[in-house]
Amino acid sequence: MALDHIDLDDPDNFVAGTPHHWFKELRREAPVYFHKERSGPGFWCITKYEDVKQVSRDPQTFSSWLGGTNIPDRDEQALQGMRMIMLNMDPPQHVKFRRIVQRGFTPQMTAKQEPYLRALSKRIVDAVAQRGECEFVEELAAELPLQVICELMGVPQEDRKLIFDLSNKLIGFDDPEFQNTEEDARLASMQMFGYAMKLAERYKKEPVDNLTNTLMNVEIDGEKLTEIEFCSFFLLLLVAGNETTRTVTTNGMRALLAHPDQLQLLAKNPELVPRAVEEFVRFDPAVHHFRRTVTQDTEIRGQKIRKGDKVVVWYPSANRDEDVFVAPDTFDVTREDNPHLAFGIGEHYCLGANLARLELTVIFQEMLTRLRNPRLAAPPRRLRSNFINGVKEMRIAFDPE
């Protein structure tokens, strides 16, 4: 069966929503499928759950470092910059960098944050509860993860809107509303790097116990991070620590509004929210894909894949694999058996997964308790991206307190 009608390379095809009908077709007809590319050599689409796990657990064969984690190929100069970011590293370098900050994200350290997160969530909902309407993305979804990661990094309150705006530019690289060229992306990166250095200077003069100070003073193999390594780490923590949780918060609320029975069930049973969080990230994950580059000839499902080929793992597809999930297209906040892959697998499992889960739990418990009869006030405006599964704007209405 010809599959030429499937086009996952064009971000326009993701504006209306994740094209699950195409992923279902690929899982059934060609789970390891070579996809044409407008301005590149093409890439292999990996759409089945077990195959996504196989690729993710074998960084020796499927490298993040060689070509980065986005589909388009970059020149060597751009790659050198990208390779400073942990997301685009392979072991053993990735392991060393991960160790720097993972102590700050253990379940024990995360649990200590709960009273702070609950108080902050209450203040965030307080700010809109009387009004009866709000712009959900910026006023509710973005605020908690942004405040938390900025607090952990030691970013002063007056600078946090700048971080939010730069994050949008860095993740919205296919959306003309945020940036039109790679030059815009480079400019946003340079602004974030400049800000990182300014903050580092501040904490050299007045040392404080935060992640920025940790990055400034840590040693790997007896050496401190270089200036560019420090700035790259700073950028990754701030963008990844704020944007993905914001996206899942918005996608989770959007799913609840589209399924009123699930919304009512959760509002009446807030103890179900931690389980619902797992369903939010399975049903509509924050990231559509990551790319790997093959280091040696290999095979997946008997399909020969050559050294240098691009392999792209698609999380929304893996999370709806019929061989793993019962009724995969059904949104069910009570789902018990939910081994989704939305936080990644293996070496690149999300460092902040524990914190993200807790943030999502407390903000939804607060919103569902306080925002009565929530509903869409206008159609959501989605991000033009086949990388980030994001919403730019979602106006909601509710009964004022």
Side-chain angles (χ1 to χ4, degrees), residues 353-364:
N354 295 315
L355 182 59
R357 284 183 164 108
L358 185 56
E359 288 177 3
L360 289 160
T361 297
V362 296
I363 194 67
F364 270 98

Side-chain angles (χ1 to χ4, degrees), residues 63-90 93 182 186 189 193 228-229 232 291-293 308 310:
S63 168
S64 303
W65 184 86
L66 267 179
T69 44
N70 298 125
I71 294 172
D73 291 323
R74 311 290 186 192
D75 61 35
E76 193 56 35
Q77 183 183 356
L79 276 174
Q80 282 177 5
M82 290 166 66
R83 286 166 179 162
M84 296 288 177
I85 295 175
M86 196 166 57
L87 204 61
N88 302 310
M89 292 178 184
D90 292 332
Q93 184 192 27
E182 286 197 20
R186 272 195 284 274
S189 292
F193 280 23
I228 194 164
E229 285 172 340
S232 299
R291 168 231 177 132
R292 302 288 185 256
T293 305
K310 295 191 268 193

Side-chain angles (χ1 to χ4, degrees), residues 10-23:
D10 186 350
D12 282 339
N13 292 326
F14 290 75
V15 174
T18 304
H20 287 291
H21 58 297
W22 284 343
F23 288 128

Side-chain angles (χ1 to χ4, degrees), residues 171-277:
I171 60 123
F173 45 76
D174 282 321
D175 195 310
E177 189 169 324
F178 294 127
Q179 61 182 45
N180 291 308
T181 65
E182 286 197 20
E183 188 54 41
D184 293 333
R186 272 195 284 274
L187 186 60
S189 292
M190 284 167 56
Q191 284 180 271
M192 190 73 95
F193 280 23
Y195 181 80
M197 294 310 298
K198 186 178 93 171
L199 204 62
E201 282 302 313
R202 171 177 175 160
Y203 289 125
K204 271 181 197 163
K205 293 173 189 163
E206 319 157 23
V208 177
D209 183 15
N210 57 40
L211 283 179
T212 298
N213 208 45
T214 299
L215 295 179
M216 284 161 48
N217 294 302
V218 76
E219 292 188 357
I220 298 182
D221 297 336
E223 292 185 5
K224 288 191 173 182
L225 296 182
T226 65
E227 193 172 286
I228 194 164
E229 285 172 340
F230 165 77
C231 290
S232 299
F233 221 135
F234 183 89
L235 180 148
L236 174 68
L237 288 171
L238 274 170
V239 176
N242 124 47
E243 184 281 324
T244 48
T245 309
R246 174 218 312 184
T247 297
V248 174
T249 306
T250 306
N251 290 349
M253 180 57 87
R254 198 162 55 98
L256 288 172
L257 297 177
H259 301 83
D261 58 323
Q262 300 292 294
L263 174 64
Q264 287 168 16
L265 179 65
L266 215 49
K268 288 175 184 169
N269 302 277
E271 72 281 0
L272 283 176
V273 169
R275 193 185 295 177
V277 163

